[in-house]
Amino acid sequence: MPPIKRSKPDGGVKKISITATDVTPAKGVEEKMSWKEYKKMKQHTGGGTRNKLKKKQRPPTENTEGRAKKPKVLTKEQLERHDTGADQIDPSSMRSKLQQEKMKVTKDKFQRRIEATAKAEKRLVENTGFVAPDEEDHSLTYSIRQKDIAESVDLAAATKHFELKLPRFGPYHIDYTDNGRHLVIGGRKGHLAALDWQTKHLHFEQSVMEKVSDVKFLHTENFIAVAQKNYTYVYDNLGTELHCLKTMYDTARLEFLPHHFLLVGSSRNSFLNYVDVSVGKQVASFATKSGTLDVMCQNPANAIIHTGHTNGTVSLWSPNSKEPLVKILTHLSAVKGIAVDDQGNYMATTGLDRKCRIWDVRMFRQLHAYSLPFGVSNVAISQKMNVACAVGNHVQVFRGMHNGTCKEPYLVHNCGGVVTDLRFVPWEDVLGIGHAGGFTSMLVPGAGDPNVDTLRSNPYETKSQRKEREIKQLLDKIQPELISLNPDDINKVNEGLLELEEEERKKILYIRPMAVQYTPRHKMRSKKSGWKMEARKNIVKDQIRMERNMEKHAVEKEVFEAPEVDDEAPKKKHILDRLK
Amino acid sequence: MKIKVISRNPNTYQRETTDKRNKIVRNFNTPADPFRSQVEYTRALNATKLERVFAKPFVASLDGHVDGVQVLAKHPNRPSTVFSGARDGQVKIWNLASRECQATLDAHRGLVNDISIDNNNGENFVTVGQDNQLKYWKIEGQQKTPAHSIAMDGIVYGVSHLSFSSDFVTCGEDISVWKPYRETPLRSYNLGTDTIHTCRANPVEENVIVGARSDRSIYVLDTRQDVPLKKVTMKMRPNKISWNPMEAYNFTVASEDYSLYTFDMRYMEHPVQSHQGFTSAVLDVDYSPTGQEFVAAGYDRSIRLFKARDMTSRDVYYTKRMASVLSVLWSADSKFVLSGSNEMNIRVWKANAAEKLGPLTKREKQAFAYNEKLRDTYKNHPEVRRIAKHRNVPRHIFTAAKEHKLIRDARGRRDFRRAKAAGLDEEESYLPQTQKIMVGDAEM
């Protein structure tokens, strides 16, 4: 893989001709539109192309007599996108006829689901963001400044680019809620502020008068965990201190596992602490014995914690094991940043060796490596697989790093201070940057998924919806014991355990027979002579020995005697056989 | 150069005013939730625990009898009407909806042996008692005297109406087919010297009857023929019989050997399934109208609910003061189970212990259906299975079950060793439990 060369466009900043694509209707967005108006607008803005395409692909009409409406035909790609493997269900593999019929019904149900979800695609109204250069215009996308992007998009989107200049309190660590609506920033000097960053409504702002190492939202915007000088504290949305977690001592980085309600703190003394915030109990705390843990991230797909170390390794941790589940040598120098994508397929790591490497987290294999300028630290991955790397004072955003099509940065932004934290906002084309000079909200067209599934995470959540979600989330809390590399393991037969049990059983063969210990109970009522007592002892000892031997013989028989291969079924004796 | 970033119209996602519902926008293109199976498992575990928490099966007690409740019978077309007969000869008619006794009849001197209601119009019923009397009653009019009564030659132990008919069969010294208001039977079958202590007419085929005799034999009879169709003999006495109303070729026998056996009328050499769990004799059995389940009454002061093809019971009900259960009934709406016991009470239980009674909202229904599906999907996970299967039983049942297991295992070992000593092949000598309990060859 050739290193990326940053070629500056000729003559400094090139003048770019930009035409905005504004999808907001001319009248504004305040009123409900009629369906006709909406359709007209969509056709006008080019949003209705999908419908046109579909019309073309419709096959010749078959005989649909008796039906007023013709069923809409779905394209093969559409069906494939929603395929959950219903075709692989084989009803004939079931033993009884009843079960076969039942399985047929199930298969049918799954197939109908695929069609229904594929049909629902036409309801996706939002389009992905993009930067499309004109054909004759050969300007590079990374020469576009944030100011130009903000000027060329609609007003509502332009307000999403903003800067908070707080040079006296930095460098800053930041975090967004799961729905991407709320932002918390924490400056090294103790400045702490939480806000709804879209409306710019400030929840609270205060100084904790102590060093702040990291900030993290818990399951809602009402709880904020802050790693301070000694302990980790929990604040509410008004800045009131709710808890002081003294077990999380000298924490460098924080992570929150929303499905498990676990707050994870990596300590500078190499400890990893798991605290269940729903009951306030420490679930696990162990020394990783690998130095300061100041690089940490979670895999959102399986709740495994990844930590990066100065020796270039990345370790994967679960609360159920004091040893790392996996250790990967990622760089030949210290690891400075790790990020895992939402599906848990790719991991991006950056190191002091000026490389950004993309890994397959399921195979633990490197896919691609890119050379970056010096001063690489943090890294973040967006919903649409854009990778943002912090390079000194700059942030470079890349596209197609995971499939190896990346040749140059997509966007570059100079923050004016050393970058300390990067987070993409879910469901938005925005990258939040915490740096020495404050906070920058950067527009990255095409970073987020435009269509929200509000049952999963809702950026427009009301208070009552939040309350309901909180309760549902608590009811569905997964126990920490279930954290494993593959969350689907629970639906599979534990073959490993079965084998292990078998192995344990076989061990009986090779263990030396233990001495049988038996001391008869002292009974007052029968005063027996010494030899009688001894005889009684021997009887019991013999019994125990015999039981052990029986067990051993059973295993021996199982292990050493090969199962009989009966080619011929034993013939039954016929009554006339004696005459043969 | 064109640039576009995500810019949503909030009106698509937010409700207009607070008195409207929140909008839900779905996107099925988002990848599946990676924690789905774990969340489902957690929900299944919680649903299983909740099911056990809400398992409060006892609904009501119908008291009024002054002696043990010997027999319970349900009305063929009025789901809330139930008949009960006690050991002092009293018959009571109950309304289940109001849980009130509608009529009390001093029907017999001595035990009421059996009650059967007319299948044709449902307006008459027949009682037979230990006093050699067969009495014919009208339900309407609250009459205290029978419409007709016949003095029989011997004690009549059972009576059962033929399906879709006003005719009925009685059993005792012989089996007789009767028409209402006739002094003499239409037809009589003399099956030998042994007493026939129970008989049940098939709920679908008008002419088929199954009965049990005190020589431990079960026979199937066609009233159009002169001699019984089939007869098989068990090692222990069959106490009561109930037909499966949906698969009317199957019937279940409550046996003295602590078990129940389901027979297929067509292949009667041995039962198709044994049902175990009682620690004492099984005295009565009754099928659910769905034919999927049945309930059985045990002398060990408990009642058990079985799935029709399962070996072990799905649930066991008991209370502190319930004496040995003499009669049992599955209500016609299939929601309740009734048990009449020796200490004079009739108890009403829910058929599904954790079911919520009364009208349900749509969301409740959906939630219950979802939970049931989850429990079914994850029923084989060890933790879920442990919680779902666990039943706290009285000490006498617990200890007896333990003891019986020991005995059963010992017998198994004994049989195995005997077969081995006799030089028999392991597979050849093995007899399933359903075959062990039969005696000799079946007369077909």
Side-chain angles (χ1 to χ4, degrees):
Chain A
M1 186 61 55
I4 296 161
K5 285 176 192 156
R6 257 197 92 202
S7 60
K8 273 197 173 175
D10 306 329
V13 180
K14 201 178 175 185
K15 200 165 187 194
I16 314 159
S17 61
I18 295 167
T19 51
T21 312
D22 193 345
V23 290
T24 47
K27 281 192 289 179
V29 289
E30 78 289 359
E31 287 303 314
K32 269 209 278 183
M33 251 183 285
S34 74
W35 174 242
K36 270 184 186 169
E37 277 178 323
Y38 176 80
K39 214 167 160 187
K40 213 172 167 185
M41 182 207 69
K42 274 283 158 192
Q43 270 173 4
H44 190 68
T45 52
T49 45
R50 201 189 290 124
N51 291 347
K52 277 179 203 164
L53 269 178
K54 216 189 280 172
K55 266 178 198 165
K56 274 180 201 167
Q57 284 163 351
R58 189 178 291 170
T61 48
E62 291 161 46
N63 56 332
T64 50
E65 48 199 13
R67 278 190 191 178
K69 277 186 180 176
K70 290 165 196 164
K72 292 214 167 130
V73 176
L74 298 159
T75 60
K76 207 178 171 190
E77 294 81 49
Q78 269 179 318
L79 288 173
E80 262 171 23
R81 248 199 308 276
H82 295 270
D83 195 4
T84 48
D87 288 337
Q88 279 151 26
I89 299 173
D90 180 17
S92 64
S93 66
M94 304 306 286
R95 241 191 280 168
S96 72
K97 204 137 200 185
L98 177 74
Q99 295 299 330
Q100 282 179 5
E101 286 300 316
K102 273 188 179 174
M103 200 44 115
K104 253 185 215 167
V105 172
T106 313
K107 184 178 179 176
D108 202 41
K109 218 188 261 176
F110 275 117
Q111 268 166 344
R112 269 184 282 131
R113 187 195 178 275
I114 292 171
E115 278 170 29
T117 49
K119 263 183 201 167
E121 263 192 4
K122 70 180 173 197
R123 296 197 171 207
L124 303 179
V125 287
E126 311 287 350
N127 296 319
T128 320
F130 58 84
V131 177
D134 297 329
E135 288 206 356
E136 70 276 9
D137 187 5
H138 297 294
S139 61
L140 299 160
T141 52
Y142 59 81
S143 64
I144 308 170
R145 300 286 151 242
Q146 282 295 303
K147 210 177 73 184
D148 304 325
I149 297 178
E151 277 171 10
S152 61
V153 296
D154 60 304
L155 259 179
T159 58
K160 288 173 186 169
H161 167 61
F162 62 95
E163 276 190 58
L164 302 174
K165 284 180 182 147
L166 302 153
R168 285 171 54 209
F169 307 109
Y172 273 86
H173 282 279
I174 62 164
D175 189 40
Y176 290 98
T177 49
D178 282 342
N179 59 15
R181 190 65 195 233
H182 301 273
L183 167 72
V184 60
I185 57 172
R188 173 66 56 89
K189 301 276 158 52
H191 175 235
L192 196 65
L195 61 152
D196 180 340
W197 67 273
Q198 291 188 3
T199 60
K200 314 289 186 298
H201 170 74
L202 186 70
H203 297 321
F204 76 92
E205 187 180 19
Q206 69 180 33
S207 174
V208 296
M209 315 290 280
E210 228 177 24
K211 186 179 88 177
V212 169
S213 301
D214 201 3
V215 287
K216 197 82 207 167
F217 273 115
L218 302 189
H219 54 290
T220 67
E221 66 269 22
N222 290 352
F223 301 99
I224 299 158
V226 181
Q228 285 173 218
K229 186 176 162 237
N230 284 334
Y231 309 123
T232 302
Y233 294 80
V234 179
Y235 296 91
D236 75 352
N237 62 339
L238 297 172
T240 319
E241 184 189 314
L242 298 177
H243 300 289
C244 170
L245 305 172
K246 290 200 171 174
T247 50
M248 295 179 108
Y249 181 76
D250 199 14
T251 305
R253 300 292 283 169
L254 288 170
E255 273 298 338
F256 182 67
L257 313 175
H259 279 96
H260 307 78
F261 279 86
L262 289 178
L263 181 67
V264 190
S266 64
S267 160
R268 288 193 183 82
N269 59 12
S270 99
F271 265 74
L272 210 53
N273 295 301
Y274 286 78
V275 173
D276 188 331
V277 294
S278 64
V279 289
K281 208 179 73 183
Q282 190 173 47
V283 168
S285 173
F286 47 84
T288 60
K289 296 169 193 161
S290 43
T292 303
L293 296 178
D294 52 359
V295 180
M296 175 172 74
C297 86
Q298 66 161 307
N299 182 342
N302 57 11
I304 296 284
I305 294 293
H306 296 220
T307 55
H309 310 296
T310 45
N311 61 359
T313 53
V314 167
S315 312
L316 275 58
W317 303 92
S318 88
N320 306 319
S321 144
K322 288 190 168 56
E323 298 297 319
L325 303 176
V326 180
K327 252 184 159 181
I328 319 162
L329 182 64
T330 51
H331 295 268
L332 292 175
S333 60
V335 181
K336 298 302 281 183
I338 321 173
V340 183
D341 82 306
D342 283 350
Q343 268 59 65
N345 296 342
Y346 299 101
M347 174 171 75
T349 57
T350 52
L352 278 184
D353 59 354
R354 293 194 279 165
K355 292 267 201 264
C356 175
R357 297 179 197 269
I358 306 292
W359 300 81
D360 185 335
V361 200
R362 295 168 298 177
M363 310 263 282
F364 307 115
R365 213 172 54 187
Q366 182 183 307
L367 298 173
H368 309 285
Y370 302 91
S371 289
L372 297 173
F374 191 70
V376 181
S377 61
N378 267 300
V379 65
I381 302 180
S382 82
Q383 282 178 323
K384 292 274 182 188
M385 294 306 294
N386 290 11
V387 179
C389 294
V391 183
N393 288 1
H394 287 76
V395 173
Q396 296 193 352
V397 184
F398 302 90
R399 313 192 85 171
M401 256 195 173
H402 64 292
N403 52 21
T405 57
C406 179
K407 293 273 181 279
E408 60 194 12
Y410 172 53
L411 289 175
V412 176
H413 182 65
N414 187 351
C415 301
V418 178
V419 177
T420 45
D421 211 348
L422 290 175
R423 305 256 171 212
F424 276 102
V425 186
W427 317 110
E428 291 289 348
D429 285 344
V430 173
L431 170 68
I433 307 162
H435 52 83
F439 170 79
T440 304
S441 179
M442 177 185 169
L443 286 175
V444 183
D449 196 340
N451 289 297
V452 181
D453 194 354
T454 54
L455 284 193
R456 282 254 196 105
S457 83
N458 186 0
Y460 300 95
E461 200 171 49
T462 61
K463 196 176 169 186
S464 58
Q465 279 178 314
R466 188 190 68 218
K467 284 177 178 171
E468 200 166 320
R469 168 174 66 89
E470 199 176 359
I471 289 166
K472 279 189 176 156
Q473 217 173 337
L474 277 165
L475 285 174
D476 293 344
K477 187 181 93 171
I478 302 169
Q479 290 305 311
E481 291 81 48
L482 295 179
I483 295 180
S484 66
L485 284 171
N486 184 6
D488 279 337
D489 275 347
I490 195 144
N491 281 347
K492 290 177 185 130
V493 177
N494 196 343
E495 283 171 358
L497 188 70
L498 204 68
E499 273 170 27
L500 209 69
E501 274 175 4
E502 200 65 12
E503 286 298 310
E504 283 296 314
R505 195 144 180 254
K506 278 181 195 171
K507 271 183 194 165
I508 293 175
L509 297 178
Y510 310 110
I511 292 171
R512 275 185 64 197
M514 271 187 298
V516 180
Q517 298 282 339
Y518 173 70
T519 27
R521 206 148 44 110
H522 183 65
K523 284 180 185 168
M524 292 299 283
R525 58 190 150 89
S526 60
K527 282 182 183 163
K528 278 172 184 162
S529 58
W531 75 268
K532 267 190 181 171
M533 187 78 109
E534 206 55 36
R536 192 151 69 92
K537 250 195 219 175
N538 282 341
I539 291 170
V540 178
K541 277 184 178 179
D542 281 346
Q543 214 170 1
I544 296 171
R545 263 189 220 117
M546 201 177 84
E547 270 170 24
R548 281 188 193 163
N549 280 342
M550 292 266 276
E551 202 177 353
K552 199 175 167 181
H553 286 317
V555 180
E556 265 177 356
K557 202 177 167 190
E558 206 173 284
V559 175
F560 294 120
E561 271 184 27
E564 284 175 31
V565 188
D566 46 1
D567 296 327
E568 300 164 27
K571 279 180 187 170
K572 276 193 175 177
K573 270 190 180 174
H574 193 263
I575 196 160
L576 297 177
D577 278 357
R578 66 202 162 99
L579 302 176
K580 271 184 186 172
Chain B
M1 186 169 289
K2 274 184 176 177
I3 297 183
K4 188 194 169 296
V5 296
I6 296 168
S7 176
R8 297 191 190 89
N9 182 355
N11 288 7
T12 323
Y13 301 90
Q14 287 170 336
R15 53 184 174 183
E16 288 89 29
T17 53
T18 44
D19 56 338
K20 292 205 167 147
R21 280 194 186 182
N22 286 311
K23 285 179 180 169
I24 291 174
V25 181
R26 299 300 309 271
N27 174 11
F28 295 105
N29 282 23
T30 46
D33 183 6
F35 289 101
R36 200 183 77 168
S37 46
Q38 290 196 343
V39 168
E40 274 187 355
Y41 171 74
T42 309
R43 286 180 185 165
L45 198 63
N46 288 342
T48 316
K49 285 177 187 169
L50 279 182
E51 200 225 346
R52 294 322 302 153
V53 168
F54 288 116
K56 304 261 185 283
F58 183 72
V59 179
S61 164
L62 311 177
D63 45 350
H65 277 299
V66 287
D67 209 338
V69 182
Q70 178 75 5
V71 55
L72 285 169
K74 59 188 159 197
H75 196 280
N77 42 24
R78 288 184 212 162
S80 63
T81 306
V82 163
F83 296 75
S84 65
R87 291 196 147 176
D88 61 348
Q90 220 173 41
V91 170
K92 279 180 182 283
I93 305 174
W94 302 89
N95 187 340
L96 277 188
S98 60
R99 291 172 223 155
E100 279 169 0
C101 177
Q102 287 183 327
T104 306
L105 313 169
D106 286 323
H108 296 278
R109 292 173 148 199
L111 309 187
V112 179
N113 276 337
D114 209 351
I115 303 174
S116 179
I117 297 101
D118 194 335
N119 271 330
N120 193 24
N121 50 22
E123 282 160 13
N124 309 305
F125 67 98
V126 178
T127 61
V128 293
Q130 202 77 356
D131 56 355
N132 294 10
Q133 293 282 325
L134 183 151
K135 292 190 177 174
Y136 197 78
W137 306 78
K138 283 201 161 166
I139 296 177
E140 296 301 324
Q142 306 273 328
Q143 286 157 348
K144 293 279 174 189
T145 49
H148 186 64
S149 105
I150 305 162
M152 311 284 277
D153 293 339
I155 298 169
V156 187
Y157 284 96
V159 61
S160 177
H161 273 86
L162 301 178
S163 57
F164 319 114
S165 159
S166 294
D167 299 357
F168 54 92
V169 285
T170 58
C171 67
E173 285 174 357
D174 58 1
I175 285 192
S176 314
V177 186
W178 298 76
K179 268 201 179 307
Y181 297 109
R182 276 183 56 140
E183 291 293 330
T184 49
L186 278 184
R187 218 171 297 115
S188 271
Y189 297 90
N190 191 0
L191 299 176
T193 51
D194 292 296
T195 312
I196 300 146
H197 58 263
T198 185
C199 69
R200 283 281 172 268
N202 191 302
V204 173
E205 288 289 334
E206 298 113 51
N207 304 305
V208 178
I209 302 161
V210 66
R213 218 158 53 154
S214 54
D215 69 342
R216 313 182 311 276
S217 66
I218 301 166
Y219 57 84
V220 175
L221 200 103
D222 191 324
T223 54
R224 292 166 296 189
Q225 286 183 331
D226 297 336
V227 286
L229 282 174
K230 289 176 182 180
K231 184 189 148 214
V232 286
T233 310
M234 300 177 79
K235 279 190 182 155
M236 295 287 266
R237 183 179 187 260
N239 284 327
K240 276 277 165 59
I241 298 175
S242 177
W243 285 98
N244 184 334
M246 297 308 283
E247 298 164 2
Y249 43 85
N250 287 339
F251 60 87
T252 299
V253 176
S255 172
E256 194 74 17
D257 66 353
Y258 313 169
S259 305
L260 295 110
Y261 300 99
T262 298
F263 283 87
D264 189 327
M265 186 176 83
R266 301 162 298 180
Y267 315 104
M268 282 208 8
E269 297 83 24
H270 57 82
V272 284
Q273 181 64 278
S274 70
H275 312 278
Q276 285 162 0
F278 280 107
T279 55
S280 189
V282 192
L283 298 186
D284 199 3
V285 56
D286 192 37
Y287 261 94
S288 149
T290 59
Q292 302 284 310
E293 288 169 318
F294 63 81
V295 58
Y299 194 73
D300 61 358
R301 293 183 266 158
S302 69
I303 62 174
R304 279 177 191 268
L305 290 91
F306 291 85
K307 289 209 168 121
R309 280 300 173 101
D310 277 7
M311 194 171 137
T312 50
S313 64
R314 158 171 90 70
D315 214 337
V316 53
Y317 297 162
Y318 59 88
T319 62
K320 219 171 189 176
R321 293 178 187 83
M322 188 161 77
S324 52
V325 190
L326 304 174
S327 53
V328 87
L329 186 83
W330 202 302
S331 77
D333 61 351
S334 88
K335 291 256 183 196
F336 299 97
V337 161
L338 275 75
S339 68
S341 46
N342 208 2
E343 90 309 336
M344 305 180 276
N345 262 328
I346 300 169
R347 289 189 171 80
V348 184
W349 313 79
K350 283 188 257 182
N352 287 319
E355 195 182 6
K356 192 188 171 196
L357 295 178
L360 298 177
T361 62
K362 197 182 170 193
R363 284 176 67 190
E364 273 179 317
K365 269 184 208 164
Q366 281 171 344
F368 287 139
Y370 179 57
N371 279 351
E372 197 180 336
K373 184 75 191 166
L374 281 177
R375 263 182 275 134
D376 186 52
T377 311
Y378 287 87
K379 68 184 171 198
N380 288 326
H381 281 69
E383 192 71 352
V384 175
R385 188 171 52 197
R386 188 182 65 80
I387 296 167
K389 290 234 162 175
H390 178 76
R391 294 289 180 279
N392 223 357
V393 287
R395 171 164 289 196
H396 71 273
I397 294 181
F398 184 76
T399 47
K402 222 160 68 174
E403 199 183 327
H404 292 165
K405 189 180 179 298
L406 273 180
I407 295 169
R408 225 173 20 245
D409 289 351
R411 281 192 185 151
R413 284 196 300 273
R414 183 196 65 188
D415 289 348
F416 174 71
R417 282 184 192 140
R418 276 188 183 167
K420 209 174 168 188
L424 286 171
D425 190 10
E426 197 176 322
E427 278 173 25
E428 263 181 85
S429 66
Y430 174 73
L431 262 186
Q433 219 253 335
T434 48
Q435 289 179 31
K436 269 185 204 166
I437 50 114
M438 302 308 291
V439 174
D441 295 327
E443 291 170 26
M444 295 296 154

